[in-house]
Amino acid sequence: METQMQNEIEDLSLAAPTMNSTENLAFTTQTCLRNKSSETDMGEEISSTRLDRTLPIFLKFSGVQFKVKIHNPSSVNPVKAVVSKSSFRLKIEQDRYKHILKGITGSVGPGEILALMGPSGSGKTTLLKILGGRLHENVKGTVTYNDILYNPALKRRIGFVTQDDVLFPQLTVKETLTFAAFLRLPSTMSQRQKYQRVAMIVKQLGLERCLGTKIGDVFVKGISGGERKRTSIGHEILVDPSLLLLDEPTSGLDSTSATKLLQILQGLVKAGRTVIITIHQPSSRMFHMFDKVLLISEGYPIYYGKGRDSMQYFSSLTFTPEIAMNPAEFLLDLATGQVNDIKVPNELFASQGSQEYEKLVIRYLQLKYKVLLEPKEMEEIHRIPKAPERLQLAIQVKKDWTLTWCEQFKIIFKRTFKERWRDYFDHLRLLQAFGVAFLLGLLWWKSNTATEAQLRDQIGLLFYICIFWTSSSIFGAVYVFPFEKIYLVKERKADMYRLSVYYACSTLCDMLAHTLYPTCFMSILYFMAGFKKTVECFFFTLSAILLIAVTSQGAGELFGAAVMSIKRAGTVASLVLMLFLLTGGYYVQHIPKFMRWLKYVSFMYYGFRLLLKVQYSGDQLYDCESRGGCQRLQSSPSFDTVNLDGGLQEIWILLGMALAYRFFAYICLRSKVDAYHI
């Protein structure tokens, strides 16, 4: 049965022609089903690959409502409440909901651009997220795709371009699109075909000039705003999404760049895509490029229909501009109730000058929409022919992963290393590692264990080494997931790769740095400081340091994944590090019984004990010049709580901690990413 379903889907040739009316849906889909044979002779062209061609999706939404839970603390002054005779009557205001969307209805089909317009805070972006399947909680109403409710199979058929371009700043435009192509395009395509696909998108979006330029951010100089936006769009259309949603794609662009971007989108819809954008205030030229416009004010719709018919509709309500005005500016003035240069109906004329005048205008428009436009739109939705069963089937069958776990790992590992290598080999980081090693080597030059004081000094150096690499590894790992949260959430929403692949690549790439620097550090310090000059002891000591660093890295990842906040992650890491430092076994050896449990959860405690056991042996003699003669190291007060010949069970404890930290870090990361919305 499953094979038959897959075969039916593969038989769909989905290069839908441009549609400008809802009645053409049935014809469009039938035409799509007949066109497969005409596309088999395209040779090396990209469209001849196994890449799913654009599947026409007709989107309907009816009575969409959305509310968020807010908490309004009592506005009563607590000092006055205490002295007031009626203070006992005060009550804490309960949590309540704020309604963002209050019943939105509409539809859009293949070959059409729907523009969601309205003032800031009107609910445009919220509606876009709901239509893209990114918001589900506290949503009422129905949203269907080819008459089917949202399901996970639609994830990879929907492209979502956020208002803030979520792109890795250290990668070039070419690297960004190439990595996306290798991750998202099917494995049945050859490398050459994937490169051709990238080249085609680059040419289509006019990105040839900036291919080798970094994306950049506030700290890294990169491409222009228009080029960033086009790169974001290219990232999404690589896999021919059926439904493309863009949140404020023209934000921050000049009029020429914004118009060019809309022209690109017009070219995309001709391939049968359904495009929905939110836009604040387009130019008059851009406004006439929209097939449909949905104007929202305070969560209510006040106009829905063809863009070119909007002026005529409001003129029929006696809302006409008294001066030359951009249609988009005219609509936004109405949506905010600011009608200073607009003629208004007689019903509202008498209320001019009142404080509630703007709200009266908005309510009037909302009422007229309810009476005049909403019934027509509901009737139109019900008159739209039902999507063919094969198209419904196509959007219900979830695609398998385009690549295996190992193939995804190779691509993500390479991308992660390219993105982070500058941090790994930062000049300050190199200077810190080598500089501290030389400084400590000079301070502890040729140290020995001839006396109790000298032994104590050398043990202090070992504890400092433990602190240094513990803190370095924790703070090097704790910020990784909070910093990359927005990239991870975006790519996970698009089902680009498995979360386990990302986590494995992230921790292994970082582990390279967390092991490279301690190795160089100990290679310099070990022989300068006068530790045991044997190859075996050197490698045992180095292995212990690396194990401490790797365990600390896992702890840092756990703290970062648990809070997913840059500010809070640093605070949590500092508190835990201080706690582990105090219970590490150097400052306080004999901890009170009721606090003793703390040291057993401290990896610094086990790491420090391991270093002592590796570097010293209980039978080793010291303090030979004292009155009592030579003594065994085990008799030193420094080793009261450490059995130097008691085995190296700390290795297994640290390994267990390193694995446990990473396991719980992965669990926290999965729960946080799945719950986060962008």
Side-chain angles (χ1 to χ4, degrees), residues 112-139:
E112 293 180 333
I113 299 179
L114 169 63
L116 307 180
M117 292 182 60
S120 299
S122 59
K124 304 186 299 293
T125 300
T126 301
L127 178 59
L128 194 73
K129 290 180 179 180
I130 292 172
L131 298 181
R134 300 200 169 200
L135 276 181
H136 302 285
E137 296 180 358
N138 301 322
V139 176

Side-chain angles (χ1 to χ4, degrees), residues 66 98-104 116-127 248 278-280 294-302 332 335-336 362 366:
F66 177 73
K98 179 181 178 181
H99 290 264
I100 306 298
L101 299 176
K102 304 166 185 177
I104 310 289
L116 307 180
M117 292 182 60
S120 299
S122 59
K124 304 186 299 293
T125 300
T126 301
L127 178 59
E248 297 284 359
T278 65
I279 196 161
H280 187 65
L294 173 57
L295 184 62
I296 305 174
S297 177
E298 298 180 353
Y300 286 103
I302 59 175
L332 282 175
T336 55
I362 295 173
Q366 292 169 354

Side-chain angles (χ1 to χ4, degrees), residues 460-592:
L461 174 59
L462 288 174
F463 190 68
Y464 180 82
I465 294 172
C466 190
I467 294 174
F468 183 79
W469 288 113
T470 295
S471 59
S472 177
S473 299
I474 284 182
F475 286 103
V478 75
Y479 296 113
V480 171
F481 298 138
F483 267 120
E484 294 192 352
K485 172 178 63 178
I486 191 167
Y487 307 105
L488 178 58
V489 172
K490 176 205 169 187
E491 294 178 340
R492 283 288 298 156
K493 294 294 182 185
D495 262 7
M496 283 183 63
Y497 47 74
R498 301 166 177 86
L499 184 63
S500 58
V501 172
Y502 167 82
Y503 181 77
C505 292
S506 177
T507 193
L508 287 176
C509 277
D510 287 351
M511 199 178 292
L512 293 176
H514 291 306
T515 55
L516 174 64
Y517 285 101
T519 302
C520 298
F521 178 92
M522 290 304 297
S523 299
I524 296 170
L525 174 61
Y526 189 86
F527 299 102
M528 291 179 68
F531 290 124
K532 282 185 180 178
K533 295 180 177 60
T534 64
V535 174
E536 181 184 15
C537 192
F538 168 75
F539 281 107
F540 271 129
T541 305
L542 176 59
S543 300
I545 297 295
L546 295 181
L547 185 54
I548 293 169
V550 169
T551 307
S552 304
Q553 178 201 359
E557 290 177 350
L558 174 59
F559 304 148
V563 298
M564 275 296 190
S565 166
I566 294 174
K567 291 182 179 179
R568 288 186 292 166
T571 303
V572 171
S574 299
L575 290 174
V576 174
L577 181 62
M578 183 61 66
L579 180 65
F580 285 0
L581 188 151
L582 294 175
T583 57
Y586 179 76
Y587 295 114
V588 183
Q589 291 192 44
H590 303 283
I591 302 176

Side-chain angles (χ1 to χ4, degrees), residues 148-219:
I148 298 296
L149 294 175
Y150 181 84
N151 62 80
L154 280 164
K155 269 188 176 184
R156 294 180 223 174
R157 301 199 185 275
I158 299 176
F160 197 104
V161 181
T162 57
Q163 182 175 355
D164 298 322
D165 302 309
V166 184
L167 302 169
F168 286 102
Q170 294 288 356
L171 299 180
T172 65
V173 172
K174 183 178 181 180
E175 289 171 344
T176 298
L177 295 178
T178 302
F179 281 125
F182 275 78
L183 279 171
R184 305 183 73 177
L185 295 178
S187 56
T188 51
M189 292 179 67
S190 66
Q191 285 193 8
R192 182 167 176 265
Q193 289 172 327
K194 290 180 180 180
Y195 280 121
Q196 286 179 330
R197 176 72 181 167
V198 171
M200 186 181 73
I201 295 298
V202 166
K203 184 177 180 180
Q204 188 176 7
L205 298 177
L207 293 170
E208 298 95 330
R209 188 176 63 87
C210 60
L211 267 182
T213 308
K214 289 183 180 180
I215 299 296
D217 57 10
V218 291
F219 303 109

